Amino acid sequence: MLTTVKKFARWRRAKGSLAVEFVCGCLLASVFVALGLHMSIAIFGAYSNDRACRDACRNAAQGQDLTEATKLAKVVLKSYQASSFLSAPKISAPIVYQDFGGRVMPQDSPYVQVSTSTDVTMPLGTLSFFNAGTLQDSKLSFVKTYTFPIVRVK
Amino acid sequence: MNNFSSQHRPSRRLSSIRCRNRRGQSLLSLMMLIFLVIVPLFAIITFECARLYLAKQELQNASDAAVLAGTATLASSDNVDPVQAHRDAVVAAIKIFKANTVLGQTLTNTTEVTSLASLPCALDEAKIFFEFINPVTGKVEPLSSPNGKVVRASTSTTRGLAFGDYVGIKTLNVNAVSTGAVPKLDLVICFDVSGSMDDQTPVTFVKRKWDATLGGGKNVYSPVVGANGLMQGKIFDILKPAPTGSSLNACYPQILTEAFWEAQCYSSEYLAQYYGVPGLRSGGIYPEAGKAPGNFPPGTAPTFDGMKVFTDVVVNIDGNPSFGGASYGGFSFPDVATLTEAARGNLESDSVYRSSKANTAVTVSPRPGYQKAYFEAAAKQVKPMKDAQTALATMTQILNTDADVHFGFVAFDSTIGTDATSTETWYDLDDYAPYGAKKGFPIPHVGIDPAAGRSAYTEVNNAIDLCVPMGATNIGGAVHSAVEDLKSRSRLGSTKAIVLFTDGEPTVPSGPLSSDPKANARMAAVEARDAGVALYTVGLAQNPAIIPDQTEILNDQQSDPTTGGMAAIAGHGGTFNLVTDSSQLRQTFSKIARRLVKLVSNQ
């Protein structure tokens, strides 16, 4: 009888270790899944913001003045829709439109500078990627600035 | 039964678990290896690759911006020295490159290198290498070559890896290559040579006659007072014409009778013909070199005293409203009397000097070349024509230095020439009287040549130099002609553009598209639009009164084909450039050159 109880207890311990093994494995896997998910979303956010900023800046550089440049930049940014994890990109700093009043020195180029930001909402909480971002309320904010020459000076 | 079961079931399972334990241990080890080493390593590599790809993308964008700035600077460079133009482009490009960032770090630590081999750089450093390529041969040209018109920048930067410390690779280098060029450009310049193109020229109206009461008699050169006061200074100020300007010209063809319509002052030869009497200039005899005033000897021709009458209009070759004396090419012109006699050719020899009675009033010694010297000096004062010619020549020179351009040229007044040697016939002194010699004055038309290497640069510059002010302003005819040239003779795949320069607005006579001058001009702009030709209009407003009309017909804002501006109607990026002073023309043409720039595909 005693032998039987011991054998049964040993069987239960073995079964328990299997469960622990399984739970530990799941926990580990879930950490990596979360990590991977956050990484993917963060990378996508950084790319999306970079592309939006570049397109906005290029378009703004076609403007004849600051007002038109701002309008052109906003038109481009409107084409970037928000999604579940990404906010729509927005202009994060005043646009710089430097045309030197039409009197450009030989070694200068008129330029326009556009900064955009995109917020990435992390589905599983507080992880931070890329030095460019700061985390607040599970949100990572990517900011990018591009400077493009104004070719069509008035 | 239950005991039996409970006795045997555990033992069977235990033996099974023992077997699993052995397999499980290795499986556990394998899982640990995967989860703790391989998956994180894979994640890190994926992350770093994505990060580096982002860095490369950002570097590519910074390079594109730099190259675009360089190309635009090169195309609009107000410098015909290729070395300096290329250096300016490089410096401007580097400034834009440095203003950008890669992975959140600025590119301010950028240095220019002289070879591709020097591109690899240290952590957080960036390097840039420029090449200028001949668009025809595809070969790299030295800075001193005017054929280096395509800008290529190779850039490189090194960034640290986020997990570099864990994987043993601390930095990685990313590179980008960008190319920029002014597109292959076929450009026709439409140049207004109408009579108003010399309205800012300083002149003096003179009444030359014989005065027998002075000593033994002598030539006198009286100042003339017209309806607007003393007739010396800029033509526009003397005559105060309509906003479209005056057809009276400082040099041949002068069309002297125009002064009556604007200042109620008669040309003596017009009056003489009107009354059927000998003229005061030289008795109505032409050519007039060696001829004394018409009233010598006294009584042979009326002097029209008491009336507003002039015989000559001479250019103040010193550039001042009131002539104070000048020298040109070794010839001395101390006073208006000398200008008048030199213009008539009475200082070419001692015999004409004496027979014209110039010797009674002019103190300089006659010698061959005086007349030529006067007209050369006068041509330099013909404004705004001279300023426009200089600015246009500079623009063609800049474009020829910095871009792959084939040029065409259409000079226009009321008519359009057919070839580079086309002329328009006018009496050189007055087409209304008429008086003077009937001569052909250049109205050149240089067609685009699509053949490789045939830019027609020299022909166009020669044509620009030949132009003299005369006639009216048929803008529509000129643009129509330019569009036809571009449609039939431009190069395959080229960007096509017209630069229209005018100091006025469309006037009669008009055609060939409409008898209404403005409709004619707008219809020509529609033709340009349909042919894919950008129209850059440059309106020189010599007086504020013309600005509203000029803006209405040349603007780039309203594209209605029946009421809009020509630049807007033609579209394709053309612009209207209003210039209120001819000194601004050079800068304006440089801006137009800059607008023609675009980024070509990366290679």
Side-chain angles (χ1 to χ4, degrees), chain A residues 35 39 43 47 130, chain B residues 37-53 161-164 166-169 172:
Chain A
L35 194 71
M39 265 184 168
I43 289 167
Y47 273 86
F130 300 107
Chain B
V37 180
I38 295 177
V39 171
L41 199 62
F42 182 74
I44 286 170
I45 290 170
T46 306
F47 176 76
E48 294 291 6
C49 284
R51 196 164 167 270
L52 280 170
Y53 188 76
L161 298 183
F163 298 97
Y166 305 106
V167 294
I169 306 169
L172 268 179

Side-chain angles (χ1 to χ4, degrees), chain B residues 26 52 105 120 138 221 227 243 259 275 281 285 330 337 528 587 596:
Chain B
S26 59
L52 280 170
Q105 287 182 301
Y221 307 83
Y275 289 114
R281 261 188 89 116
I285 300 164
Q587 191 187 10
L596 296 167

Side-chain angles (χ1 to χ4, degrees), chain B residues 443-494:
Chain B
I443 186 89
H445 180 167
V446 180
I448 289 256
D449 191 336
R454 295 277 305 143
S455 71
Y457 167 68
T458 308
E459 292 91 328
V460 165
N461 272 305
N462 290 341
I464 291 170
D465 278 345
L466 287 173
C467 294
V468 294
M470 56 186 175
T473 311
N474 185 357
I475 290 178
V479 173
H480 167 74
S481 181
V483 172
E484 289 300 310
D485 273 4
L486 286 165
K487 278 162 72 174
S488 60
R489 305 169 64 125
S490 60
R491 289 172 290 172
L492 193 64
S494 65

Side-chain angles (χ1 to χ4, degrees), chain B residues 12 210 285 390 528 540:
Chain B
R12 197 167 57 238
W210 178 256
I285 300 164
T390 305
L540 172 62

Side-chain angles (χ1 to χ4, degrees), chain B residues 189-378:
Chain B
I189 299 163
C190 294
F191 188 50
D192 180 355
V193 298
S194 64
S196 56
M197 280 296 290
D198 65 351
D199 279 3
Q200 303 301 319
T201 310
V203 297
T204 301
F205 283 68
V206 181
K207 185 177 180 184
R208 173 183 181 261
K209 66 176 183 178
W210 178 256
D211 190 338
T213 64
L214 298 174
K218 65 183 291 188
N219 282 358
V220 292
Y221 307 83
S222 312
V224 179
V225 177
N228 304 316
L230 186 62
M231 297 180 77
Q232 64 177 22
K234 291 177 183 174
I235 291 175
F236 195 90
D237 298 337
I238 295 169
L239 300 180
K240 300 194 188 313
T244 48
S246 169
S247 294
L248 184 140
N249 296 322
C251 295
Y252 299 155
Q254 287 196 294
I255 318 179
L256 298 176
T257 296
E258 277 294 324
F260 172 73
W261 306 110
E262 291 149 353
Q264 286 76 55
C265 188
Y266 292 98
S267 157
S268 61
E269 304 316 294
Y270 174 81
L271 270 187
Q273 287 192 22
Y274 183 80
Y275 289 114
V277 296
L280 182 59
R281 261 188 89 116
S282 51
I285 300 164
Y286 199 90
E288 52 197 3
K291 300 289 186 299
N295 66 326
F296 176 85
T300 49
T303 55
F304 304 113
D305 291 335
M307 298 176 72
K308 295 183 178 71
V309 173
F310 66 95
T311 57
D312 300 73
V313 175
V314 290
V315 177
N316 301 345
I317 62 171
D318 62 349
N320 294 320
S322 174
F323 185 63
S327 292
Y328 181 84
F331 293 87
S332 173
F333 300 88
D335 48 31
V336 169
T338 310
L339 292 177
T340 307
E341 298 299 350
R344 288 183 176 219
N346 289 335
L347 302 180
E348 297 301 301
S349 68
D350 192 60
S351 64
V352 292
Y353 178 59
R354 292 184 181 284
S355 62
S356 66
K357 302 297 178 189
N359 62 324
T360 61
V362 175
T363 55
V364 299
S365 301
R367 61 186 167 111
Y370 244 108
Q371 190 178 34
K372 184 168 177 281
Y374 164 76
F375 279 113
E376 282 183 6

Side-chain angles (χ1 to χ4, degrees), chain B residues 341-463:
Chain B
E341 298 299 350
R344 288 183 176 219
N346 289 335
L347 302 180
E348 297 301 301
S349 68
D350 192 60
S351 64
V352 292
Y353 178 59
R354 292 184 181 284
S355 62
S356 66
K357 302 297 178 189
N359 62 324
T360 61
V362 175
T363 55
V364 299
S365 301
R367 61 186 167 111
Y370 244 108
Q371 190 178 34
K372 184 168 177 281
Y374 164 76
F375 279 113
E376 282 183 6
K380 291 183 186 302
Q381 299 298 331
V382 174
K383 292 179 179 176
M385 172 66 90
K386 194 66 197 171
D387 291 335
Q389 285 172 315
T390 305
L392 266 182
T394 304
M395 183 186 85
T396 58
Q397 196 173 2
I398 288 169
L399 282 173
N400 194 52
T401 302
D402 305 331
D404 178 16
V405 185
H406 279 201
F407 295 98
F409 182 78
V410 179
F412 68 97
D413 59 348
S414 47
T415 60
I416 316 297
T418 54
D419 57 49
T421 58
S422 290
T423 57
E424 193 177 340
T425 304
W426 295 80
Y427 283 93
D428 60 6
L429 289 168
D430 196 351
D431 219 49
Y432 295 141
Y435 190 71
K438 215 170 181 180
K439 289 180 186 168
F441 293 92
I443 186 89
H445 180 167
V446 180
I448 289 256
D449 191 336
R454 295 277 305 143
S455 71
Y457 167 68
T458 308
E459 292 91 328
V460 165
N461 272 305
N462 290 341

